[in-house]
Amino acid sequence: LRLREVELFGFKSFADRTRIPLPDDLLVVVGPNGSGKSNVTDAVLWALGEQSAKTLRGHKMQDVIFSGSHRRPASGMAEVLLSFEDGEGTKVQLGRRLLRSGESAYLMDGRGVRLKDAQEFMMRYGISTQGTFLVEQGRVEALLTASAEERRLIFEEVA
Amino acid sequence: LRLREVELFGFKSFADRTRIPLPDDLLVVVGPNGSGKSNVTDAVLWALGEQSAKTLRGHKMQDVIFSGSHRRPASGMAEVLLSFEDGEGTKVQLGRRLLRSGESAYLMDGRGVRLKDAQEFMMRYGISTQGTFLVEQGRVEALLTASAEERRLIFEEVA
Amino acid sequence: TRDRFMEAFEAVKEHFAVLFREVFEGGEARLSLLDEQNPLESGVEIFAQPPGKKLQSLQLLSGGEKAMVALALLFALFRYRPQPFFILDEVDAPLDEANINRFNRLLLQFRGQTQFLVVSHNKRTMELAEVLYGVSMGEGGVSRLVSVRLAEVEASLGIGRA
Amino acid sequence: TRDRFMEAFEAVKEHFAVLFREVFEGGEARLSLLDEQNPLESGVEIFAQPPGKKLQSLQLLSGGEKAMVALALLFALFRYRPQPFFILDEVDAPLDEANINRFNRLLLQFRGQTQFLVVSHNKRTMELAEVLYGVSMGEGGVSRLVSVRLAEVEASLGIGRA
Ligand SMILES: Nc1ncnc2c1ncn2[C@@H]1O[C@H](COP(=O)(O)OP(=O)(O)OP(=O)(O)O)[C@@H](O)[C@H]1O
Ligand SMILES: Nc1ncnc2c1ncn2[C@@H]1O[C@H](COP(=O)(O)OP(=O)(O)OP(=O)(O)O)[C@@H](O)[C@H]1O
Ligand SMILES: [Mg+2]
Ligand SMILES: [Mg+2]
């Protein structure tokens, strides 16, 4: 499975629709403090169904919607689309939307699906629902500071 | 008050007696990962009466005693001495010792004193007992992630 | 099932021991089950001993050492159960130059097997990139992303710390 | 006493607002008492708004931004109540080059007023040192410390990331 592109629109500091094509092996994202690099990684996590606002550094889930600045009004919605391509060339786009009202949706190739379908997609392609594909900023030691039981859950998923 | 020198003996990875004269303004300590830089900062904290083994990255307080390596037997004791000089040229040396047995001592100019006396010294010279003179590795955000109440304690001390 | 768990555990345990020795250039580490009789209920413990040092609690290790142990375990899990992509956000922050090089070697070693998205302030890590994107925050509080070259990065974005 | 607390709080609040604007080159920040009627019982809250951005929860800030806010507050407390020494262990790890420069300017600004002990992997921070000590771990698992020059540091200890 290849992640071909990540698209953000109204997600955190990415108020403008931003398409990020991904190379086959190694993408390095650089930029000054506060520019938006971790927001990109948050977007991938969010589109894959992250349920905890705290993990995304917010208090409530609406915190991921662009909240405006002194020059730009807040967005009404956040949207992230992940464009995948499997080994046979079949394309699948997984998406997520959240409105200020709290109304939210998961999308697969543009049509509404349930969180459960997104999770099934992850399991079919071996994307960890425990999040072991992501090491968040400042959290590299997480596997070590985790309890022995929490680590077992990771082993269970891998098994 | 000037901290003229820090001396470590049997403290963590400093098995050999190590004297560290401090300059008047700005000392920078460098070295590879795992060389012992943070152990030096731990030593200052410990000599000033730190009570929590966890803050010093240990399980029990004896973890600060050099535990040996494949070439070197464990030490029987850890000792740290802080040599101060006040504005009038009076020298004071604050020290702490811990034996494997758990027997421990605070020292002032070589004679045994109580933890209380060491804390009085700190208060007299404005060394924070809340530890605001130290930002531990990976803990720079501590003031921000602390609760509003914990921050108030810091303000109380400063007032 | 118990057998599948044990198979996964033993495999990752082996990969971890090997990767640890690789990134620490010596020493040894192992994973162990707290309750061998009951693997499906048992917690997993980590023991790590950098070269020349004594086996002691992980928390006594330095910031950089802990990061390297964690990376060794992460990649050991990956070796047994590869994932389509791997996102690493500033994992090189606590590392000295020697360990940044070892981390980079890990990236090079695994790069054919997964898509890496690495966020970094470090020039050496940037040098490995197949593609380099620069993120910048405009005056209006809005982020934008552009494809950049390494030379541009150092000049215009004021980054590239090593 | 209530008066002393309020005097300290107001002073630190002012220093913090000034230092924040200095290290962020704009924007604004303030401290506030959760319960103004009862300062001695009240928690202290922090609000920070980097230039061009909207005031929002601190936790949404980036790693580097949080570090700079924390340093501004730490130095604001220091300005009101100086301490004889100040130990900073790798506080520059999450910072980009521009912020490392601002952190260094803070060090230079305060260096006459206290003794700094700074642990760092960063070359620019090393350049400020009055004295530079190199720590190394021998084969026997024992640390030792030697006075070094900047040039030696880059050569022999394999450090100095920028
Ligand atoms: N909902 C939102 N609306 C607008 N801006 C937001 C929103 N959420 C976060 N931000 C802004 O995004 C910025 C943080 O971005 P991010 O964490 O991606 O930075 P970064 O590039 O990773 O920086 P660092 O190098 O310091 O880690 C913050 O300044 C924050 O104010
Ligand atoms: N009681 C002890 N006896 C022997 N060695 C110890 C003891 N306590 C800690 N150590 C060793 O000291 C080392 C950690 O040192 P320290 O944390 O000072 O490193 P550091 O120079 O700060 O590294 P980094 O740059 O990664 O933060 C570890 O390898 C640990 O095994
Ligand atoms: Mg970040
Ligand atoms: Mg350290």
Side-chain angles (χ1 to χ4, degrees):
Chain A
L1 186 78
R2 289 218 174 279
L3 178 55
R4 289 274 175 235
E5 187 177 272
V6 179
E7 187 173 330
L8 294 80
F9 181 38
F11 183 87
K12 293 206 168 189
S13 56
F14 287 86
D16 296 327
R17 188 171 289 280
T18 307
R19 299 178 67 168
I20 309 175
L22 268 58
D24 282 350
D25 308 354
L26 180 52
L27 167 67
V28 179
V29 176
V30 302
N33 292 136
S35 55
K37 309 179 294 295
S38 299
N39 289 348
V40 172
T41 70
D42 287 342
V44 176
L45 196 59
W46 186 70
L48 292 173
E50 179 57 50
Q51 294 298 303
S52 155
K54 195 157 181 273
T55 301
L56 298 163
R57 290 177 286 159
H59 288 298
K60 52 197 197 311
M61 204 45 100
Q62 280 92 330
D63 288 342
V64 308
I65 306 172
F66 177 69
S67 58
S69 67
H70 62 251
R71 276 195 197 180
R72 187 89 182 243
S75 298
M77 161 181 104
E79 176 182 274
V80 175
L81 304 169
L82 305 178
S83 302
F84 294 98
E85 189 176 322
D86 76 9
E88 278 113 51
T90 312
K91 294 190 201 287
V92 183
Q93 190 183 70
L94 203 54
R96 184 175 180 179
R97 266 189 209 136
L98 176 67
L99 280 67
R100 283 240 170 254
S101 59
E103 207 183 310
S104 84
Y106 292 90
L107 310 156
M108 212 174 261
D109 296 328
R111 71 180 196 289
V113 299
R114 303 155 301 169
L115 167 62
K116 191 161 164 305
D117 302 306
Q119 288 171 334
E120 255 170 50
F121 172 87
M122 287 174 71
M123 291 207 264
R124 188 177 340 135
Y125 287 102
I127 300 170
S128 161
T129 47
Q130 290 276 328
T132 54
F133 59 84
L134 168 68
V135 181
E136 290 180 286
Q137 187 165 0
R139 303 270 301 145
V140 64
E141 295 179 17
L143 268 179
L144 275 49
T145 52
S147 71
E149 283 62 41
E150 288 168 321
R151 271 193 291 272
R152 196 200 65 246
L153 293 175
I154 289 171
F155 276 80
E156 279 181 11
E157 181 185 54
V158 159
Chain B
L1 187 79
R2 289 218 174 280
L3 179 54
R4 289 275 176 234
E5 188 177 90
V6 179
E7 187 172 329
L8 294 80
F9 182 38
F11 183 87
K12 293 204 168 190
S13 57
F14 287 87
D16 296 328
R17 188 172 289 281
T18 307
R19 299 179 66 168
I20 309 175
L22 267 58
D24 283 350
D25 306 351
L26 180 51
L27 168 67
V28 179
V29 177
V30 303
N33 292 136
S35 56
K37 308 178 296 294
S38 299
N39 290 348
V40 173
T41 70
D42 287 342
V44 175
L45 196 57
W46 186 71
L48 291 174
E50 179 57 51
Q51 295 297 304
S52 155
K54 195 156 181 276
T55 302
L56 297 163
R57 290 177 285 158
H59 288 298
K60 51 194 198 312
M61 204 46 100
Q62 281 91 331
D63 288 341
V64 307
I65 306 172
F66 177 71
S67 58
S69 67
H70 64 251
R71 276 194 198 183
R72 187 86 181 242
S75 299
M77 159 180 109
E79 176 181 275
V80 175
L81 303 170
L82 305 179
S83 302
F84 293 99
E85 188 175 322
D86 76 11
E88 279 113 51
T90 311
K91 295 189 202 285
V92 182
Q93 190 183 71
L94 203 54
R96 183 174 180 179
R97 268 188 207 137
L98 176 67
L99 279 68
R100 285 241 168 252
S101 59
E103 207 180 312
S104 85
Y106 292 90
L107 309 157
M108 211 174 263
D109 296 328
R111 72 181 195 288
V113 298
R114 302 156 301 170
L115 167 62
K116 190 162 164 306
D117 302 306
Q119 288 171 335
E120 255 169 49
F121 172 87
M122 286 174 73
M123 291 207 267
R124 187 178 341 135
Y125 286 103
I127 300 170
S128 161
T129 48
Q130 289 277 327
T132 54
F133 59 84
L134 168 68
V135 180
E136 289 180 288
Q137 186 165 0
R139 303 270 303 145
V140 63
E141 296 178 16
L143 268 178
L144 275 48
T145 52
S147 71
E149 283 60 42
E150 288 168 319
R151 271 193 292 272
R152 195 200 65 247
L153 293 176
I154 290 171
F155 277 80
E156 278 181 12
E157 181 185 53
V158 159
Chain C
T1 81
R2 177 181 171 135
D3 288 346
R4 264 181 68 173
F5 183 91
M6 287 313 293
E7 175 198 331
F9 178 78
E10 291 299 330
V12 175
K13 179 176 171 178
E14 178 60 22
H15 292 315
F16 177 59
V18 169
L19 277 164
F20 179 91
R21 276 199 301 276
E22 218 171 289
V23 300
F24 276 83
E25 285 165 24
E28 63 167 288
R30 60 190 170 81
L31 298 171
S32 83
L33 288 168
L34 289 180
D35 181 357
E36 309 241 325
Q37 310 307 324
N38 257 327
L40 293 179
E41 307 284 312
S42 161
V44 176
E45 206 51 84
I46 309 173
F47 294 93
Q49 181 179 328
K53 297 181 185 181
K54 206 174 192 178
L55 187 68
Q56 36 187 252
S57 148
L58 279 186
Q59 53 194 71
L60 280 167
L61 292 178
S62 81
E65 288 173 324
K66 284 178 192 163
M68 296 308 286
V69 173
L71 288 172
L73 180 52
L74 221 47
F75 279 93
L77 287 160
F78 177 89
R79 216 169 227 168
Y80 179 73
R81 183 71 68 206
Q83 304 227 34
F85 50 87
F86 216 157
I87 305 177
L88 304 170
D89 195 348
E90 290 194 35
V91 296
D92 52 15
L95 304 182
D96 63 24
E97 197 153 292
N99 274 329
I100 285 175
N101 283 335
R102 292 177 191 123
F103 164 60
N104 289 350
R105 284 209 301 270
L106 270 181
L107 288 177
L108 292 175
Q109 190 178 8
F110 283 83
R111 71 185 275 184
Q113 312 168 34
T114 189
Q115 273 172 290
F116 278 109
L117 193 169
V118 176
V119 179
S120 179
H121 287 294
N122 193 284
K123 188 160 105 186
R124 296 191 174 225
T125 303
M126 292 176 205
E127 286 168 355
L128 303 180
E130 186 180 357
V131 172
L132 202 57
Y133 285 133
V135 184
S136 55
M137 174 76 70
E139 297 246 331
V142 175
S143 291
R144 61 190 203 92
L145 186 134
V146 284
S147 195
V148 293
R149 296 218 170 71
L150 195 53
E152 290 174 76
V153 160
E154 291 158 353
S156 68
L157 292 183
I159 48 161
R161 284 193 309 183
Chain D
T1 80
R2 179 180 170 134
D3 289 346
R4 263 181 68 172
F5 183 91
M6 286 314 292
E7 175 197 330
F9 179 78
E10 290 300 330
V12 176
K13 179 176 171 178
E14 178 60 23
H15 291 315
F16 177 59
V18 169
L19 276 165
F20 179 91
R21 276 198 302 277
E22 217 170 290
V23 301
F24 276 84
E25 285 166 23
E28 64 166 287
R30 59 189 170 80
L31 298 171
S32 82
L33 287 168
L34 290 179
D35 181 358
E36 306 241 334
Q37 309 308 325
N38 256 329
L40 293 180
E41 308 283 312
S42 160
V44 176
E45 205 51 84
I46 308 172
F47 293 93
Q49 182 179 327
K53 297 182 186 179
K54 206 171 190 181
L55 186 68
Q56 38 187 252
S57 149
L58 279 187
Q59 52 194 69
L60 280 167
L61 291 179
S62 81
E65 288 174 323
K66 284 179 192 161
M68 296 309 286
V69 173
L71 288 172
L73 180 51
L74 221 47
F75 280 93
L77 287 160
F78 177 90
R79 217 169 227 167
Y80 179 73
R81 183 71 68 207
Q83 304 229 31
F85 50 88
F86 215 158
I87 304 177
L88 303 170
D89 194 348
E90 289 195 34
V91 298
D92 52 15
L95 304 182
D96 62 24
E97 196 151 295
N99 275 328
I100 286 176
N101 284 334
R102 291 178 192 122
F103 164 60
N104 290 350
R105 284 210 301 272
L106 269 181
L107 288 178
L108 293 174
Q109 188 178 10
F110 282 82
R111 74 185 272 181
Q113 310 167 35
T114 190
Q115 273 172 291
F116 278 109
L117 194 170
V118 176
V119 179
S120 178
H121 287 293
N122 193 285
K123 188 160 107 184
R124 294 190 176 227
T125 302
M126 291 176 204
E127 286 168 354
L128 303 180
E130 185 181 0
V131 171
L132 201 56
Y133 285 133
V135 184
S136 54
M137 173 77 69
E139 298 244 331
V142 176
S143 291
R144 59 189 203 94
L145 186 135
V146 284
S147 193
V148 293
R149 294 218 170 71
L150 196 52
E152 291 176 75
V153 160
E154 291 157 353
S156 69
L157 293 184
I159 48 163
R161 286 196 307 187

